[in-house]
Amino acid sequence: MDPRPVGVFDSGVGGLTVLHECLVTMPHEDFVYLGDHARLPYGPRPREEIRRFAREIGGYLEAQDVKLVLVACNAATSAALPQLQEELEVAVVGVITPEAHAAVQATRNRRIGLLATQATVEAGRYAELVRTLDAGAELVPVACPRLVPLIESDDPFAAETTGAVREYAAPLKEAGVDTVILGCTHYPLIRPIFQRVFGRGVTLVFSAEETAREVAETLARKRLENDESREGAYRFLTTGDPGAFRSLGERFLQLPLGDVEHVAVADLVTA
């Protein structure tokens, strides 16, 4: 048994939807979550800058003695996953490969849609993975710059959010996709809107569920699991304001956060 925690990071609070699924899937494991609130959003930033941020956080979490690093951010996974896997001594899991694999397995007509941030779409990582898994499958990507601010607003289920989802879904419907990857960790929070807009005929693939399953399988395969008889704990770090992180984060985690520790960006750079 390995009692060390699993390290999880994201640019902000979206990755807490992934952490929630991890807590449900692996209730006996400990987790430490770092939200880089001081430098969000990652989505509009250049890929090299996102890669640098991810490498800094990965190094910091490894210095905290975690046994696995989960990149719970689609933009950071797209920009930096291979580099993190090469540089860190611990295993590194991202949110893209599990989703691409699930989508290829789910599609019946081999037309797959992708809704994600601009950085994730431009990186092209989903298209590469889908082609590797099924060279005959077609991926239709759509960048959704309005969704994250709407989801983080005081009323994420407002009519404006539904209108934005309908707008972004239109080209996917026109392309006749039967499976849609929701390639941003914020999106599970408005799952009912996506389900309403696409209907039961379209399979929706959420990063949180698929990624939690991948983490559990990786820990089991590498024999890094904790004692299943115990109840795990979790702690939270942010480069931004701890109070703001706690307030918004509880909506995404759907559990109490408790104390949130502040980490200076300079500490990440040093690590």
Side-chain angles (χ1 to χ4, degrees), residues 90-109:
V90 297
V92 183
V93 174
V95 290
I96 291 180
T97 301
E99 289 178 312
H101 186 263
V104 169
Q105 286 188 318
T107 184
R108 302 173 302 281
N109 66 9

Side-chain angles (χ1 to χ4, degrees), residues 2 4 29 67-68 91 218-220 222-226:
D2 191 330
R4 292 179 296 165
E29 297 289 353
K67 60 184 175 183
L68 179 146
T218 301
L219 292 178
K222 294 182 175 293
R223 299 183 179 181
L224 296 174
E225 296 165 296
N226 208 339

Side-chain angles (χ1 to χ4, degrees), residues 13 16 189 244-260:
V13 296
L16 293 172
L189 200 71
F245 180 91
R246 183 188 307 109
S247 177
L248 187 58
E250 288 185 343
R251 185 199 304 176
F252 281 76
L253 186 65
Q254 301 177 53
L255 290 167
L257 266 67
D259 292 334
V260 178

Side-chain angles (χ1 to χ4, degrees), residues 10 12 22 31 36 42 48 53 75 94 97 110-111 118 125 145 156 166 169 193-194 200 206 209 221 224 229 256 258:
D10 182 25
C22 287
F31 293 87
D36 192 13
Y42 281 9
E48 286 301 320
F53 293 170
T97 301
R110 302 168 89 188
R111 294 194 191 100
Q118 190 71 38
R125 185 61 179 149
R166 290 191 188 282
I193 295 178
F194 285 111
R200 293 194 182 278
F206 288 88
E209 298 163 1
R221 186 171 62 250
L224 296 174
S229 66

Side-chain angles (χ1 to χ4, degrees), residues 150-204:
L150 288 170
I151 294 170
E152 289 194 355
S153 71
D154 291 336
D155 187 5
F157 293 99
E160 187 179 356
T161 308
T162 301
V165 171
R166 290 191 188 282
E167 174 189 330
Y168 296 136
L172 301 187
K173 290 184 173 183
E174 186 177 342
V177 304
D178 72 347
T179 302
V180 175
I181 300 171
L182 299 174
C184 176
T185 53
H186 277 67
Y187 296 172
L189 200 71
I190 58 166
R191 177 194 297 257
I193 295 178
F194 285 111
Q195 291 172 328
R196 166 66 174 161
V197 170
F198 283 105
R200 293 194 182 278
V202 174
T203 300
L204 301 179

